[in-house]
Amino acid sequence: MGRLLPHAALPGAGRAFAIALAAASAAHAASPLAPALQTREPTSEERNSFDEYYREHVPARVGGGASLFAPAFDIQRRRGEAWQVIARVDSAPRHHTPELCRQVRTSYLYDAKAPKGQRWTPSAAAPEWYVWLATPKVICTAAQYTVKMDPAVSGDDVAALLRQHRALLERARLLFAGNSGCARQRALTFRLSAIEPAPPANGAPQMVGMVFESDRDTRVRVAVRKSRGEYAAWNVNCAAD
């Protein structure tokens, strides 16, 4: 087998070709497989037009008062595509049940090509519910940490899981070892992010799902069995969404 020559030892034309090939290979290796996601802050026009739209179209009984909560903007695009502009607003905190406080998050979409005054419309997606445990006999106020609640789950189940989620997570970690998709996440730090319905499993007709997000940007679903008012971690799923 012939020995490869360094660039400096190649003839002029061969040396130039090798250098060009190496540069092309480096550029190909550095280029991402998909365009990077770009984000930005809202423009003054976007912010002002949403403020005007929200004050005119959203009753105070729904929004909790237009001036109570500033909108959160989510603006992103892939390179070469149009910006997708979304504004999200949380309602005023209120009791959902005696044990739960709730805020309703509504999303609005922006169309820069629409006539002025018609650029914002409510998202077709249903508003999202965010809940946390209430303090007895105390008016609900905004909380730093909230959990997304699927309206299909009963308030009693949600309150129970909020109280027991740390213990249920520790029991679920024992199930991680037996699941090839979860084993590496067993020791990660998790935060409860959502409570949702879960399909029945063999021997467990009543199930509720808990979604945990880790400090490594991964997500774990724990199916919880309910039996006679008691809850037990039943199985886990760590497949990426």
Side-chain angles (χ1 to χ4, degrees):
M1 179 180 294
R3 182 171 60 89
L4 295 178
L5 297 176
H7 292 165
L10 292 172
R15 183 166 65 251
F17 175 78
I19 293 173
L21 180 62
S25 299
H28 176 75
S31 63
L33 295 178
L37 191 66
Q38 298 176 315
T39 62
R40 64 168 173 81
E41 293 298 312
T43 65
S44 58
E45 194 283 329
E46 291 165 348
R47 190 181 294 277
N48 292 338
S49 67
F50 179 75
D51 184 65
E52 182 178 348
Y53 165 83
Y54 190 75
R55 291 176 185 275
E56 291 183 359
H57 293 86
V58 182
R61 62 180 176 80
V62 175
S67 63
L68 288 179
F69 296 95
F73 288 90
D74 180 6
I75 305 176
Q76 56 183 249
R77 72 173 179 182
R78 297 287 182 187
R79 186 177 298 276
E81 298 179 358
W83 289 103
Q84 181 186 57
V85 181
I86 301 175
R88 296 187 173 93
V89 178
D90 290 343
S91 69
R94 291 187 175 90
H95 276 94
H96 176 58
T97 69
E99 297 179 298
L100 292 176
C101 294
R102 184 189 74 183
Q103 282 183 303
V104 179
R105 180 168 300 168
T106 307
S107 298
Y108 302 87
L109 306 179
Y110 181 77
D111 182 0
K113 297 181 179 179
K116 189 174 181 179
Q118 302 177 30
R119 294 177 179 174
W120 290 97
T121 55
S123 169
E128 298 174 338
W129 293 10
Y130 288 84
V131 297
W132 59 98
L133 289 172
T135 302
K137 299 181 180 179
V138 175
I139 296 175
C140 291
T141 56
Q144 181 177 6
Y145 298 107
T146 62
V147 173
K148 184 178 178 181
M149 169 187 172
D150 191 303
V153 182
S154 76
D156 290 342
D157 286 338
V158 171
L161 294 180
L162 287 177
R163 292 192 180 91
Q164 300 178 39
H165 74 277
R166 292 184 179 85
L168 289 168
L169 174 62
E170 291 309 307
R171 294 169 192 164
R173 289 183 192 275
L174 300 176
L175 301 174
F176 285 15
N179 186 308
S180 59
C182 295
R184 293 184 178 181
Q185 301 193 51
R186 184 174 178 179
L188 298 183
T189 299
F190 287 95
R191 184 185 75 83
L192 178 64
S193 62
I195 298 176
E196 60 189 15
N202 293 336
Q206 288 186 282
M207 305 285 287
V208 184
M210 305 176 73
V211 182
F212 292 90
E213 295 183 354
S214 80
D215 55 352
R216 302 289 180 86
D217 294 326
T218 59
R219 184 171 295 155
V220 172
R221 281 180 164 82
V222 178
V224 177
R225 178 193 182 196
K226 178 183 179 183
S227 178
R228 298 180 181 179
E230 296 185 355
Y231 301 85
W234 195 253
N235 57 54
V236 295
N237 183 352
C238 301
D241 291 335

